[in-house]
Amino acid sequence: MITSIAGKVAWVTGATSGIGEALAHVLAAEGARVVLSARREPELRRVQAVCDHPGEHLPLPLDLLQPDTF
């Protein structure tokens, strides 16, 4: 069974490079709304801008090693 992710929300940590960034692009292309998280806000905004439907995604800077950031 194939399930559509269009309209669903996905949260990607490490969204500014590597597998995390690639996953964000795939999810956005499939119609998901993506919460993009990583430490560097300018890079999150860059990824948001190049994803399909950039206005549907939320850049949310955080550092998983610093609990006060989330």
Side-chain angles (χ1 to χ4, degrees), residues 21-65:
E21 182 175 355
L23 179 59
H25 289 291
V26 169
L27 291 167
E30 292 294 321
R33 295 177 176 162
V34 185
V35 178
L36 304 160
S37 288
R39 292 175 289 172
R40 299 170 294 162
E41 186 171 3
E43 285 297 301
L44 289 172
R45 298 217 178 268
R46 177 192 60 79
V47 173
Q48 177 190 21
V50 297
C51 279
D52 291 355
H53 314 288
E56 295 289 315
H57 313 302
L58 173 67
L60 183 64
L62 66 83
D63 183 341
L64 292 175
L65 296 178

Side-chain angles (χ1 to χ4, degrees), residues 1-6 8 30:
M1 171 186 244
I2 298 174
T3 304
S4 173
I5 61 170
K8 306 279 187 192
E30 292 294 321

